[in-house]
Amino acid sequence: MAEEKSMSDVIEQYLKSVLGDASQIEIRRSEIADHFDVVPSQINYVIKTRFTPQRGYFVESKRGGGGYIRIEKVSLLDGVDVLETLINGIGDLLTERDAAAVIKTLYQEQLITRREGDLMMTMISKQTLIIRDRYDQQRFRAHVMKMLLNRLRYES
């Protein structure tokens, strides 16, 4: 039996297909919500969780009558720009899922090898970070990831 995609997965794929090879798109949240027959907050959720700097996107929204959401592929001119964007996007807390997205971006941009990515994933995994408190674990993971990214920046 084939794995069924969640509505969030379907919306993400749709937005990525609309984006295609373009560097950015502007959408109206309500139009996309109507298209998929979902509430506008579902569109917000997809954009907030799937189109992050860690995944290579910058999102800008303008509210109001003529409001829009602009999704832009981060211009990745060279490795240092990628690393800077990722470092700035991490913040103080980092989930394992978001850390995996950062590592995937590094791999896709050919800044690390698959083996290096696997090693980084091991370093930041829940199994490695045996910290019971989720907040402390995410805070420590963010710190470790920033240190790794800074080290890669100086190697570039």
Side-chain angles (χ1 to χ4, degrees):
M1 185 164 106
E3 183 179 324
E4 290 188 36
K5 285 189 169 187
S6 73
M7 182 54 73
S8 293
D9 292 336
V10 172
I11 295 168
E12 174 188 12
Q13 285 308 116
Y14 173 78
L15 291 173
K16 285 182 176 178
S17 72
V18 170
L19 188 57
D21 292 332
S23 63
Q24 71 179 22
I25 57 171
E26 285 186 9
I27 60 168
R28 293 207 185 313
R29 183 178 64 149
S30 59
E31 290 175 8
I32 302 298
D34 289 346
H35 178 78
F36 288 101
D37 194 28
V38 297
V39 293
S41 62
Q42 174 94 30
I43 306 305
N44 285 350
Y45 171 80
V46 171
I47 290 170
K48 184 178 181 199
T49 61
R50 312 286 176 97
F51 293 89
T52 63
Q54 295 91 337
R55 294 174 184 237
Y57 297 95
F58 175 75
V59 175
E60 177 186 357
S61 65
K62 180 180 178 237
R63 300 205 180 269
Y68 62 85
I69 297 174
R70 179 180 296 137
I71 302 173
E72 183 177 352
K73 287 182 188 174
V74 177
S75 297
L76 305 176
L77 301 175
D78 62 27
V80 174
D81 288 342
V82 174
L83 295 169
E84 194 68 38
T85 299
L86 293 172
I87 290 167
N88 291 336
I90 288 177
D92 294 332
L93 302 174
L94 186 64
T95 65
E96 190 170 6
R97 182 179 182 175
D98 286 343
V102 168
I103 293 167
K104 183 177 179 183
T105 299
L106 292 172
Y107 178 72
Q108 289 173 335
E109 294 300 318
Q110 300 177 346
L111 294 174
I112 60 172
T113 65
R114 181 176 202 94
R115 185 168 195 268
E116 290 167 335
D118 290 343
L119 290 170
M120 289 174 77
M121 280 302 299
T122 300
M123 288 176 63
I124 54 85
S125 74
K126 289 178 190 171
Q127 292 77 21
T128 302
L129 303 179
I130 52 172
I131 301 170
R132 291 190 189 271
D133 182 75
R134 187 183 329 184
Y135 173 82
D136 287 342
Q137 185 184 91
Q138 290 179 7
R139 193 168 49 111
F140 185 72
R141 183 180 293 114
H143 177 73
V144 169
M145 184 60 73
K146 286 179 186 176
M147 295 302 292
L148 288 167
L149 293 173
N150 273 312
R151 181 68 179 132
L152 285 172
R153 182 169 50 179
Y154 296 123
E155 289 287 317
S156 296

